[in-house]
Each structure stands twice: as structure tokens, then as C-alpha cells.
């Protein structure tokens, strides 16, 4: 009797590599870096049609044309306002999918083939979420102004596209000061927001303990295995990486907005105390520590956003975090996500002596392994 061979992805294996179905950079930034390679090599030249998008070379312009043509003739009608970036992206998606059979626009991810028609829209939830419905209507009105009513599909189709864009696209950030030497002072400390829509990757379910990791490698996006995964196992990804999770309240609010409610991933759906994300050894003692830890993280988040550079403040915060981490020992399980958040925040934002940072990083690696399993790298 033959035994069926089971194939695996191992940590570090590339499961997927490809370019987004649609990618878009806000108009205000396109004037300052090459739209295709995102670099600043020598003088940039305008696209002769829109007079907005710039390229560092003829080859970059040629390679980018199939993508740029979707918005070229409309860009000059769009204000230099980053708040219109969603409308800019929405218009680009509409131009790419209009008059096409959505079921034929496909991409393979792992062992699944996904089509544009498969992407979630949440249009069935509009009546029960008035704010969301208003957002859809405003987007529909603005995109009509942007690309013209002649390019707009019927309302039900338009709402479906808006839903697919809102709930399946995501934004990645590229620091402009790494793009070259000739960035205006106004943009020196800013980021370029790249909004992308993938078809296959968009169907990966969220998990607070995922088995894959998503990263950009130039213009190519890659999905890596971060633990040993059976090839017939569901692939999951964390929509909100640890760097965002360390800001607890912001993270919770983002989850609620995205999922139209609480996170429903496999781990968060388990009864409280049974998931490794919420394991508590002594719930009575833990309550105070949890509350204080959450408040401390919120304070840290605020200070980081304000870019406070006063050494005494960070010294005080570092000591507070150290005390909190010590108090959690024996009260919260080492697998508790709050402990990981505190350690991650300390490693990423509190600049202490190198020896202390190294010690914290080693602890973080140890707790991640305890929480997520030895197959995580």
C-alpha cells in the first residue's frame, strides 16, 4: 500500500511572487520620483500626456505604460490632495476591469485560483452600516467626477468595485528620503503611499497567528512561509503586522473597522483563556497589569507620533516597560500577545544600550517561539 506523499512549505520558502493587479501612487508624490522604479536618478521627465507622472528613463516609461495608461488622461483633473488617493486608485481599478468578465481575471495563490469576482465586497452589510453606505455613495460621486460618467458602470457594479477596493487593497509606505538626493524639503521626512490590489493574496484569511509573511522586494511582492506548512493547509496572513499591533487601541479600532466587528480569526474566536493570544494564569492579578500595560502602550504611541526626543521621558518609559514586563511574569502566560507587544515596542522604539537591546531581542525571539511554535523563524 503506497503512502500519499505530503509536500510542505518550509520557513523562508517563497509561496508567491508577483506584481499587484493594480498599483497606484498618490499624485502629489508622482512629481518627485520615478513612477516605475521609485528612484531618483538624474533629471526626471514628464509624461507628455498628463504632465504629472515622471520617469527617470525612457525604458521605465515604456515598461510602466500598460499601468499608467489607466489613469494618464485623468490625473490632471485630480487635485494635488493626498485625501483623494483612494478615488485615484478606485478610478484606476474601474478602468482596468470595465467591460471585462470578472471571472476571467484570475491569479493563482498556493493551490488555489482566485478571480476578481471572488473578492469580498461587504455590499450586503451597507444597510446595517449607515456610515459605510455613506462612504460608498461619496466615493461613487467623486469617482464619477474624476474619470467621467461614461466610464462608470451601473450602480450595483460600481458599489461592488468600491467594496472590492476598500476591503481588498492595502497601502505600503516607502520613505521618500531613500529615493534619491533631489527631494524637496517639504517631502524630506515624508512617505510615498503605494496602494496595491492583489487578486490571489486578497483571498488569504487574516490570522493573528499567521503561517505566512508578506513583503516587498522592489516592484515584486512576495509571500514567504514563516513556519512549516502542509501544501494542502490554508494559508493565512496577519493584515496588521506586529509593528502596528504594539499600539493596542489603534490596532483594535483598525480591526473593528476592517472586519465590521471583532476579529474572527481562528485564534481570536476561541473561548477566552484557551487561545495562546489570551492565555492568563491568574486572571484576578492580571486585570490590573493588562489595564496599565494598555495605557502605557497608548502613551508610548502618542509620544512616538509626537516625535518626542526628550531623553528623560524615554528613560522613564523604558523603566516603566521593564517593570511591567517583570510584573507579567507568573501572572500572564509568556504567550500572551500583550507581553509580545510590550517587548516589540521596547525593541523598536526605546533606544537603550546595545547590550540591553540585544537581550530584549533575544527575549522577544524566545517568546515568539513559545507563542507561535518552533517552526517560526
Amino acid at each position: 500500500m503506497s503512502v500519499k506523499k505530503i509536500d510542505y512549505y518550509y520557513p523562508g520558502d517563497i509561496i508567491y511572487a508577483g506584481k499587484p493587479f493594480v498599483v497606484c501612487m498618490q499624485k502629489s508624490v508622482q512629481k518627485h520620483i520615478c513612477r516605475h522604479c521609485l528612484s531618483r536618478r538624474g533629471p526626471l521627465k514628464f509624461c507628455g500626456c498628463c504632465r504629472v507622472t515622471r520617469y527617470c528613463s525612457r525604458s521605465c516609461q515604456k515598461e510602466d505604460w500598460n499601468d499608467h495608461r489607466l489613469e494618464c488622461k485623468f490625473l490632471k483633473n485630480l487635485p494635488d490632495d493626498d485625501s483623494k488617493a483612494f478615488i485615484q486608485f478606485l478610478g484606476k481599478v474601474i478602468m482596468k476591469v470595465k467591460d471585462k468578465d470578472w471571472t476571467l481575471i484570475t491569479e493563482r495563490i498556493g493551490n488555489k485560483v482566485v478571480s476578481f469576482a471572488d473578492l469580498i465586497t461587504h455590499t450586503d452589510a451597507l444597510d446595517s452600516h449607515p456610515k459605510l453606505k455613506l462612504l460608498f455613495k461619496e466615493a461613487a460621486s467623486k469617482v464619477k467626477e474624476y474619470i467621467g460618467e461614461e466610464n462608470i458602470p451601473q450602480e450595483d457594479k460600481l458599489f461592488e468595485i468600491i467594496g472590492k477596493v476598500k476591503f481588498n487593497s492595502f497601502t505600503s509606505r516607502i520613505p521618500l528620503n531613500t529615493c534619491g538626493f533631489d527631494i524637496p524639503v517639504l517631502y524630506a521626512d515624508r512617505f510615498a503611499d503605494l496602494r496595491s490590489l492583489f487578486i490571489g493574496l486578497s483571498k488569504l484569511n487574516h490570522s493573528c497567528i499567521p503561517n505566512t509573511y508578506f513583503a516587498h522586494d522592489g516592484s515584486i511582492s512576495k509571500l514567504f512561509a514563516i513556519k512549516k506548512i502542509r501544501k494542502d493547509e490554508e494559508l493565512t496572513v496577519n493584515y496588521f503586522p506586529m509593528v502596528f499591533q504594539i499600539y493596542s487601541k489603534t490596532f483594535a479600532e483598525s480591526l473593528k473597522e476592517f472586519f465590521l466587528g471583532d476579529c474572527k480569526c481562528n485564534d481570536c474566536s476561541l473561548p477566552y483563556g484557551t487561545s495562546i493570544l489570551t492565555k492568563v494564569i491568574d486572571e484576578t492579578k492580571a486585570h490590573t497589569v493588562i489595564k496599565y500595560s494598555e495605557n502605557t502602550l497608548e502613551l508610548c504611541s502618542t509620544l512616538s507620533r509626537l516625535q518626542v526626543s526628550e531623553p528623560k521621558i524615554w528613560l522613564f518609559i523604558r523603566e516603566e516597560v521593564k517593570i511591567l514586563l517583570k510584573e507579567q511574569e507568573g501572572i500572564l502566560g509568556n504567550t500572551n500577545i500583550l507581553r509580545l507587544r510590550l517587548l516589540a515596542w521596547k525593541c523598536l522604539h526605546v533606544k537603550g544600550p546595545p547590550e540591553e537591546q540585544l537581550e530584549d531581542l533575544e527575549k522577544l525571539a524566545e517568546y515568539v517561539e513559545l507563542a507561535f511554535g518552533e517552526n517560526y523563524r
Side-chain angles (χ1 to χ4, degrees):
M1 180 178 174
S2 61
V3 179
K4 184 181 177 182
K5 182 183 176 183
I6 299 174
D7 290 324
Y8 292 91
Y9 295 113
Y10 291 91
D13 284 356
I14 298 174
I15 300 172
Y16 166 90
K19 292 186 176 182
F21 175 61
V22 176
V23 64
C24 187
M25 182 191 299
Q26 69 261 42
K27 180 181 176 181
S28 62
V29 176
Q30 289 194 32
K31 298 177 180 180
H32 305 292
I33 61 177
C34 175
R35 166 65 185 77
H36 182 62
C37 67
L38 309 179
S39 68
R40 181 71 169 88
R41 295 178 296 188
L44 297 177
K45 295 184 178 180
F46 280 117
C47 163
C49 178
C50 67
R51 306 290 294 173
V52 173
T53 304
R54 296 195 187 195
Y55 297 98
C56 64
S57 66
R58 180 71 177 167
S59 60
C60 270
Q61 184 175 11
K62 191 174 180 180
E63 288 175 29
D64 192 53
W65 174 244
N66 279 339
D67 185 72
H68 177 58
R69 67 183 177 81
L70 299 171
E71 64 176 358
C72 183
K73 63 182 178 181
F74 307 118
L75 269 177
K76 55 189 174 187
N77 302 326
L78 194 72
D80 285 355
D81 180 355
D82 289 351
S83 67
K84 302 293 189 298
F86 179 79
I87 301 303
Q88 180 188 346
F89 186 74
L90 177 59
K92 200 168 180 179
V93 174
I94 290 172
M95 294 303 296
K96 187 149 188 177
V97 302
K98 75 169 190 170
D99 303 326
K100 290 184 180 177
D101 183 345
W102 292 357
T103 61
L104 300 180
I105 304 172
T106 61
E107 185 176 46
R108 175 174 287 278
I109 182 79
N111 57 3
K112 290 184 179 179
V113 175
V114 182
S115 74
F116 185 75
D118 295 329
L119 303 187
I120 60 168
T121 64
H122 285 312
T123 50
D124 55 341
L126 292 182
D127 289 334
S128 55
H129 290 80
K131 286 185 179 179
L132 185 64
K133 191 170 186 176
L134 180 62
L135 185 149
F136 272 48
K137 286 185 175 181
E138 287 178 351
S141 174
K142 289 175 182 176
V143 80
K144 281 180 187 177
E145 292 178 17
Y146 175 44
I147 63 174
E149 196 156 351
E150 67 277 7
N151 292 309
I152 299 294
Q154 293 180 342
E155 187 177 82
D156 57 339
K157 282 277 188 185
L158 176 58
F159 272 32
E160 278 192 63
I161 295 174
I162 294 172
K164 290 177 190 294
V165 169
K166 176 169 175 57
F167 294 106
N168 296 280
S169 63
F170 65 91
T171 301
S172 52
R173 314 202 84 187
I174 297 175
L176 287 178
N177 57 9
T178 66
C179 296
F181 54 85
D182 194 19
I183 298 296
V185 174
L186 175 66
Y187 291 90
D189 296 319
R190 291 192 55 191
F191 290 83
D193 282 347
L194 286 178
R195 185 180 280 269
S196 307
L197 174 65
F198 292 86
I199 294 177
L201 292 176
S202 295
K203 286 300 287 181
L204 294 184
N205 283 325
H206 165 79
S207 173
C208 288
I209 309 177
N211 53 23
T212 69
Y213 174 74
F214 178 74
H216 294 286
D217 183 5
S219 60
I220 302 296
S221 299
K222 296 179 178 179
L223 188 73
F224 297 90
I226 54 175
K227 63 176 292 188
K228 187 178 177 182
I229 312 168
R230 289 168 57 116
K231 289 198 173 177
D232 59 354
E233 185 180 339
E234 181 187 14
L235 300 176
T236 58
V237 68
N238 193 329
Y239 295 169
F240 305 88
M242 178 66 77
V243 70
F244 299 117
Q245 290 188 36
I246 59 178
Y247 301 141
S248 51
K249 288 187 181 177
T250 307
F251 174 56
E253 288 166 4
S254 299
L255 277 177
K256 280 186 177 292
E257 181 183 350
F258 187 85
F259 294 114
L260 303 182
D262 293 322
C263 177
K264 300 176 181 65
C265 81
N266 290 338
D267 294 287
C268 290
S269 300
L270 291 171
Y272 187 81
T274 60
S275 167
I276 64 171
L277 295 176
T278 58
K279 185 178 179 182
V280 176
I281 296 174
D282 187 334
E283 198 168 342
T284 309
K285 290 181 182 178
H287 179 75
T288 305
V289 179
I290 290 172
K291 191 71 180 170
Y292 193 70
S293 298
E294 293 280 1
N295 290 339
T296 303
L297 279 169
E298 187 62 21
L299 172 63
C300 294
S301 171
T302 304
L303 292 174
S304 296
R305 284 197 297 268
L306 294 174
Q307 297 182 333
V308 175
S309 57
E310 177 58 52
K312 289 182 181 178
I313 293 177
W314 293 120
L315 185 63
F316 169 76
I317 290 291
R318 186 162 75 242
E319 291 305 312
E320 287 294 302
V321 171
K322 192 183 290 184
I323 292 167
L324 277 173
L325 288 170
K326 192 169 184 180
E327 285 182 352
Q328 286 183 13
E329 287 184 324
I331 297 176
L332 303 183
N334 286 340
T335 56
N336 189 278
I337 198 68
L338 184 58
R339 186 176 182 83
L340 289 173
R341 284 186 198 163
L342 279 166
L343 265 171
W345 187 88
K346 193 176 178 188
C347 293
L348 290 168
H349 294 281
V350 181
K351 297 176 180 176
E355 297 81 10
E356 187 178 318
Q357 291 291 85
L358 183 60
E359 185 182 330
D360 287 337
L361 285 167
E362 287 173 350
K363 279 185 186 176
L364 184 62
E366 179 188 338
Y367 292 138
V368 167
E369 187 175 322
L370 279 169
F372 303 150
E374 61 181 13
N375 286 325
Y376 277 80
R377 57 175 186 156

